[in-house]
Amino acid sequence: MSRKSFEPRVGIVTGGGAGIGLEIARQLVERGSHVVVADIDGAAAEEAATTLGSASAATVDVSDPEAVRELVRATVAEHGRLDVMVNNAGVLFSGPFEETTDAHWEHALGVNVRGVVNGARAAYDQMLTQPDGGYILNTASLAGLMPAPWMTPYTTSKWAVVGFSRALRAEAAGRRITVTALCPGYTDTKLLDEVVDPSASVRPGDFRKTAKGFQGRLMTPRQVAEKAVEGLAAGKAVVVVGWFAQVMYRANRINPRTMDLGVRVEAAKQRRSARTRR
Ligand SMILES: NC(=O)c1ccc[n+]([C@@H]2O[C@H](COP(=O)([O-])OP(=O)(O)OC[C@H]3O[C@@H](n4cnc5c(N)ncnc54)[C@H](O)[C@@H]3O)[C@@H](O)[C@H]2O)c1
């Protein structure tokens, strides 16, 4: 079967008010789409939509399934269809497992997992009614492709997004709906400075410092967005962005034992430096 051409007319990007989501929205607008920028930060969504041109804004908490269904309903009511659903909103956690709380787990799974599932369900129902289907892009992370320590709620949530995306992709095959998981390495966004409810062992700036220690130069959100939308248009299953993510992804597949050893050393290092900071 020949691949349909990627000519999106209507898209939604959750977490589109900033960072990677904003740049994905820009890529879609540049390809001729109207984009609904949906974010829990309504002011950021408004500002983003203004700068993008062919875009509008919506204030939505992706962990609320009814709010996300309403977002899709309202978009289709106004624009007649939905070609691309980008489930990108996410929150970051950092710290040792023993310091994670119920709130950390609820927030990570609520936004990073349920948020993606909520968006995919609402979009899927609509796309099934469209003769030319549609595209679903779910933002996971390199942390969804390797056993990233010291951030278990985040790692768990991102593995779930990769697994969900690949399973749904199999179901969607033949129904003209393409599902893609996006797995970027470290990217220069405010996420790196906004660890949610940091535990005792985490100080402001720690996460960004760790990220730069691994990757040296952080990617720009635009670099990630370009690869994401290229991968989406090409119908890829998983889009891994950045040299560090590529190396870690391959290492984990080719030699998981060495990867396990490496992350064990890293976890011990994190514990030691948290102790010396106290
Ligand atoms: N920055 C990185 O290094 C990196 C690496 C890999 C994956 N990611 C993933 O990329 C995605 C985008 O992150 P980013 O780096 O652009 O961060 P960001 O903080 O710049 O953007 C995240 C956006 O999501 C929004 N958001 C948060 N909770 C929400 C909710 N409940 N409902 C709706 N919107 C909500 C925020 O308001 C923000 O605008 C996330 O899923 C993140 O996990 C980021």
Side-chain angles (χ1 to χ4, degrees), residues 113 140-148 152-165 252:
V113 182
S141 168
L142 167 60
L145 300 172
M146 62 169 282
T152 48
Y154 189 79
T155 302
T156 304
S157 72
K158 295 303 187 178
W159 275 73
V161 173
V162 174
F164 166 69
S165 303
N252 191 49

Side-chain angles (χ1 to χ4, degrees), residues 15 18-20 39-41 60-62 88-91 111 139-141 154 158 184-187 189-192:
I20 295 169
D39 205 291
I40 198 166
D41 182 344
V60 177
D61 178 351
V62 295
N88 165 81
V91 285
V111 178
T139 304
S141 168
Y154 189 79
K158 295 303 187 178
Y186 294 112
T187 310
T189 70
K190 65 182 175 55
L191 188 90
L192 302 185

Side-chain angles (χ1 to χ4, degrees), residues 174-248:
R175 308 187 84 176
R176 301 190 76 78
I177 300 174
T178 306
V179 183
T180 299
L182 171 64
C183 297
Y186 294 112
T187 310
D188 192 0
T189 70
K190 65 182 175 55
L191 188 90
L192 302 185
D193 308 308
E194 288 184 353
V195 170
V196 172
D197 194 11
S199 70
S201 298
V202 178
R203 300 285 150 85
D206 281 357
F207 194 88
R208 180 173 283 269
K209 212 162 120 197
T210 304
K212 291 189 92 166
F214 281 124
Q215 207 182 275
R217 184 183 293 185
L218 301 175
M219 291 182 288
T220 67
R222 188 180 178 96
Q223 285 170 327
V224 174
E226 280 171 359
K227 295 285 181 209
V229 175
E230 275 166 25
L232 184 65
K236 287 195 176 168
V238 180
V239 179
V240 182
V241 190
W243 70 265
F244 182 69
Q246 291 284 354
V247 169
M248 290 296 121

Side-chain angles (χ1 to χ4, degrees), residues 3-6 83-85 127 133-137 178 232-233:
R3 169 152 298 286
K4 59 185 175 166
S5 58
F6 184 71
D83 301 299
V84 181
M85 181 77 194
M127 288 171 183
Y135 294 81
I136 296 173
L137 176 67
T178 306
L232 184 65

